[in-house]
Amino acid sequence: MPNSNAKFHCNHRGGQEAGRRELVSRSLQSAQHCLEDQDFGTAYAHYLLVLNLAPELKSSVKETFQFTLFKWAEELDSLARIQDLFNCYEQALELYPNDEVICNSMGEHLFRMGFRDEAAGYFHKAVKLNPDFADAKENFYRVANWLVERWHFIMLNDTKRNLTYLKAIENAVRSGCKSVLDIGTGTGILSMFAKKAGASFVYACELSKTMYELACDVVAANNMEREIKLLHLKSLDIEIPKHIPERVSLVVTETVDAGLFGEGIVESLIHAWEHLLLKPK
């Protein structure tokens, strides 16, 4: 009987595998027929089934799947079925999480709908996946012009201002401020000043996703990613010990543009004084 049971299970598995192959084959044929009929929604559904049943086919059907996804997304966009569109892209990125073409296309839809910060994240990911992807680079620079305020570039090139901040931070650290919180870090320049001045612990928060990711890149380029903890948070949402282990001895910030109303500089500093900053003895 044991041999009989083993044979039964073997035959059962063989039958399942044969059934899977048959279903995959039929779905691929149906998808192709749907594409010929320009029924992109049904073709997309067939490809989803194929890729979930036979992930080994991801490479061979990748380009056709992308074409089908983009055509179906265009239809959904024209019909204002926005949630369905985003659901399709989420499904596609689950199957191809490191596909720069899909990331870039998702970013383009988000940008057209006004979600510029989210779009920048997808363009940025596409560029990181493929630094030579010209379309993604152009898209990222375009959306960056919307999100990175002009004053920021002027500020970074203001040598006198930067030296003044550097000296002030150095004086504070030398006087005993060894833990620093940078509110609205931007590119991370003040955080890096603090670390170079000798601060033992440096934390930085940034509300904008685009600026947060830019700060991560800048900090990493300066080999400080292990020394500066970057938080994609509004300063008012920082909690101890959830985000930082204890109160800091120095807060630095320069959120004096629209952040005065968005980040809320007055509220931020009051919150930092009451909850995040060490009280003077």
Side-chain angles (χ1 to χ4, degrees), residues 3-167:
N3 290 336
S4 176
N5 287 335
K7 185 176 181 179
F8 171 78
H9 288 302
C10 183
N11 290 337
H12 182 65
R13 285 195 299 271
Q16 284 184 323
E17 177 60 22
R20 182 186 74 91
R21 288 198 301 267
E22 177 66 18
L23 181 55
V24 167
S25 177
R26 286 173 178 258
S27 291
L28 283 172
Q29 291 175 8
S30 296
Q32 189 59 45
H33 291 152
C34 289
L35 287 179
E36 292 170 0
D37 295 336
Q38 297 189 343
D39 182 359
F40 300 114
T42 307
Y44 175 76
H46 279 298
Y47 278 118
L48 277 186
L49 178 61
V50 167
L51 290 168
N52 279 286
L53 287 175
E56 67 273 12
L57 297 179
K58 282 184 180 180
S59 297
S60 61
V61 303
K62 180 178 176 180
E63 290 187 9
T64 310
F65 174 75
Q66 288 175 343
F67 172 81
T68 307
L69 167 67
F70 300 156
K71 286 295 186 180
W72 179 224
E74 287 177 8
E75 284 192 23
L76 291 173
D77 193 9
S78 67
L79 295 169
R81 292 171 56 183
I82 306 306
Q83 189 57 57
D84 289 335
L85 185 153
F86 287 146
N87 288 342
C88 286
Y89 272 96
E90 287 175 3
Q91 292 166 340
L93 286 169
E94 285 181 8
L95 293 166
Y96 297 97
N98 296 318
D99 188 287
E100 69 273 19
V101 178
I102 295 177
C103 286
N104 182 64
S105 181
M106 174 67 155
E108 289 175 339
H109 282 287
L110 286 165
F111 184 77
R112 284 196 295 270
M113 294 173 191
F115 300 106
R116 293 179 182 133
D117 206 16
E118 293 82 355
Y122 281 98
F123 293 146
H124 184 252
K125 182 178 180 180
V127 172
K128 293 191 79 171
L129 289 168
N130 182 1
D132 297 323
F133 189 5
D135 287 350
K137 286 196 291 186
E138 181 180 345
N139 284 332
F140 181 69
Y141 295 145
R142 179 161 56 106
V143 75
N145 285 331
W146 286 90
L147 295 172
V148 182
E149 295 84 351
R150 298 297 180 187
W151 62 263
H152 210 100
F153 297 107
I154 298 172
M155 178 185 73
L156 290 173
N157 287 286
D158 186 343
T159 304
K160 183 177 180 180
R161 166 207 167 272
N162 292 337
L163 287 175
T164 301
Y165 263 98
L166 176 60
K167 290 178 181 178

